[in-house]
Amino acid sequence: MRLLLTFIFIISCVSSQAQLWHNTFEEALANANSEDKPIVLVFSGSDWCGPCIRFKKKILESDDFKSFASENYVMYNADFPRKKKNQLPLDRLNSNKSLAERYNPRGFFPLVVVLNGKESILGKTGFDTKKSPQEYIALLNNFVK
């Protein structure tokens, strides 16, 4: 019985973690509209961009951020990996390129764009190594007000 409860707990943790990030921008947009939440669009280079990797570890993977984001934001990562083993499916790569042309034409990494459900920009920011997860949440929340 204990083993079964442990298994259920692990599965629920994994599934709740997976639900934080949407697989497609269209899915994120639909979710943002149905739940009336802002979209946090993160442009990253997950396997080559040092600041992106630090941002993910310090902010995005923090318990405070994950907890708050799962309740208040719709998350989408427009990732641009370079290593062959990390390449995205072509449709997702093309979608991310289209998002970059529209919201990140200068190619800054990491870049966080907060959007409303109508795809209007509410704010943009990068990664400030001095900000805590709580301060970063406050910054994103200021865009939504």
Side-chain angles (χ1 to χ4, degrees):
M1 183 67 169
R2 188 177 293 174
L3 183 60
L4 178 63
L5 291 175
T6 303
F7 179 74
I8 291 170
F9 174 76
I10 291 170
I11 294 299
S12 68
C13 288
V14 169
S15 66
S16 68
Q17 170 71 353
Q19 292 175 357
L20 183 62
W21 295 94
H22 287 78
N23 291 323
T24 67
F25 184 73
E26 293 75 22
E27 179 184 291
L29 185 60
N31 193 284
N33 283 311
S34 69
E35 295 185 17
D36 194 30
K37 293 180 182 178
I39 298 170
V40 175
L41 171 59
V42 178
F43 289 94
S44 68
S46 62
D47 64 4
W48 60 270
C49 170
C52 299
I53 294 165
R54 287 189 295 280
F55 174 62
K56 181 180 178 188
K57 285 181 182 176
K58 182 175 181 181
I59 304 296
L60 300 177
E61 290 181 346
S62 72
D63 289 338
D64 287 342
F65 187 86
K66 288 190 298 188
S67 175
F68 191 85
S70 67
E71 296 293 322
N72 297 282
Y73 305 135
V74 173
M75 304 294 294
Y76 182 74
N77 183 22
D79 192 21
F80 292 88
R82 289 186 180 163
K83 293 180 182 173
K84 189 173 185 175
K85 68 179 183 174
N86 298 329
Q87 290 303 301
L88 302 174
L90 190 57
D91 59 335
R92 186 154 180 200
L93 179 63
N94 288 335
S95 174
N96 290 353
K97 285 180 181 179
S98 177
L99 290 168
E101 288 171 5
R102 184 170 180 190
Y103 299 112
N104 189 9
R106 295 177 137 181
F108 292 126
F109 291 92
L111 178 70
V112 176
V113 182
V114 180
L115 306 166
N116 64 18
K118 295 180 178 158
E119 300 182 67
S120 298
I121 297 172
L122 303 175
K124 289 184 178 187
T125 189
F127 170 49
D128 180 348
T129 58
K130 295 178 181 134
K131 285 197 183 325
S132 68
Q134 298 83 3
E135 291 169 319
Y136 206 84
I137 290 167
L139 172 66
L140 296 181
N141 285 340
N142 282 331
F143 295 145
V144 178
K145 290 181 182 179

